[in-house]
Amino acid sequence: MCHPDDQTPVVDDTPGEHAIGRDTRSTGQRNHDALNAVVRAILASGQLGQHNGLPATIIVSTTLADLQAGSGQALTAGGSLLPMSDVIRLARHAHHYLAIFDKGRPIALYHTKRLASPGQRIVLYAKDRGCSFPGCDVPGYFCEVHHVTDFATCRTSNVDDLTFGCGQHHPLVKPGGWKTRTLATGDTEWIPPPHLDHGQPRTNSFHHPEKLLRGDEDDP
Ligand SMILES: [Zn+2]
C-alpha cells in the first residue's frame, strides 16, 4: 500500500497481486511511506485549522531568480533555510500564495480592517521575518502584527505601516513607553523612553544578516 512509485497508490484496500509482487520495500520503508500518505492526506484536507489566520503550513520566502534557477535557498517563517529543491518538492502539494516586492518594498495589499489580512501577514513573513525589536530573535510564526502608526490615528492597515512584534516586545509600545516608526529603508525603529535610552541600536538586524554584509565592489 501507499507505494510512492505507483501512479495511483492503494491507500485504503489490499493491493492486488501485481502490486504485491513488485513491492520490494522493507517493512520500515513501507511504514514510512504509509505515514507519509496519511500526513499528506491530512494536509490536503483543508481541515487542519489555522495559525494566526493562515492555514497551518510552511511559509517560505525566496526570490524569483532563485526559484527560476531552481537553486539557492528559501527562508521559512520559523527562521530555517530550506534548499530550493525542497521548496519545489513541497510546493507540489502546497496551498499557493504570492507576495510581490519591488526592491524589498512590499507592493499593495492595502485595506481598512483592524486585523491584518492573511496576505499582509505573508508579506511580513518575507519583509520582517521575525520580531523587529532590536536584538530579538523570535521568528515570524510566533509574532503579533503591530501597527507602527496607532490604528486609532490612521484607521487603516497599510502593510507599509505594519511590523512584527513578539509577545514580549509588542506590549512595550504604549503611552509613556516605547514608540515605533518606519524608516525610509522600510525598517522599524524602536524608540526607547528617555530613562531607558542608552544609545542602543534601534533596529533589528538579527533576521536580516545580509544587511550587515558590506556590498561587494563588483556588484552591479
Ligand atoms: Zn521580540
Side-chain angles (χ1 to χ4, degrees):
M1 293 177 71
C2 310
H3 199 307
D5 291 341
D6 288 348
Q7 280 295 324
T8 52
V10 177
V11 293
D12 59 0
D13 203 351
T14 306
E17 289 295 322
H18 173 71
I20 294 173
R22 65 184 183 83
D23 190 349
T24 57
R25 295 174 297 167
S26 66
T27 303
Q29 183 67 44
R30 285 203 302 275
N31 289 342
H32 165 275
D33 293 343
L35 181 63
N36 208 21
V38 167
V39 173
R40 187 161 289 157
I42 294 171
L43 284 172
S45 72
Q47 303 293 314
L48 267 183
Q50 297 194 335
H51 175 247
N52 289 325
L54 291 169
T57 187
I58 296 171
I59 298 174
V60 301
S61 48
T62 183
T63 65
L64 187 58
D66 278 354
L67 197 56
Q68 285 176 328
S71 64
Q73 294 167 320
L75 183 70
T76 75
S80 311
L81 289 173
L82 264 187
M84 196 56 64
S85 54
D86 285 351
V87 172
I88 292 169
R89 187 172 55 79
L90 289 167
R92 289 185 306 164
H93 301 282
H95 298 282
H96 291 161
Y97 293 84
L98 180 65
I100 301 175
F101 293 78
D102 180 14
K103 295 185 175 66
R105 300 284 295 187
I107 297 175
L109 294 168
Y110 300 92
H111 78 147
T112 54
K113 291 188 181 152
R114 176 75 175 87
L115 293 175
S117 72
Q120 289 177 326
R121 199 173 173 91
I122 287 176
V123 169
L124 288 179
Y125 279 133
K127 178 174 94 69
D128 284 355
R129 301 179 183 168
C131 176
S132 62
F133 186 89
C136 185
D137 63 357
V138 173
Y141 285 142
F142 307 113
C143 283
E144 300 160 2
V145 176
H146 166 60
H147 290 255
V148 177
T149 306
D150 188 20
F151 180 76
T153 307
C154 65
R155 308 302 299 176
T156 62
S157 289
N158 177 345
V159 71
D160 286 339
D161 203 43
L162 299 175
T163 191
F164 270 151
C166 70
Q168 179 189 348
H169 292 128
H170 190 190
L172 295 180
V173 182
K174 56 188 174 191
W178 291 70
K179 293 185 174 64
T180 50
R181 70 182 178 118
T182 303
L183 301 177
T185 55
D187 293 333
T188 304
E189 182 182 35
W190 289 72
I191 303 159
H195 68 284
L196 293 177
D197 191 355
H198 50 82
Q200 68 268 51
R202 293 183 169 200
T203 57
N204 192 5
S205 57
F206 181 87
H207 304 285
H208 301 268
E210 74 283 357
K211 290 187 178 177
L212 301 177
L213 297 174
R214 205 178 304 165
D216 192 319
E217 309 222 327
D218 293 334
D219 278 354

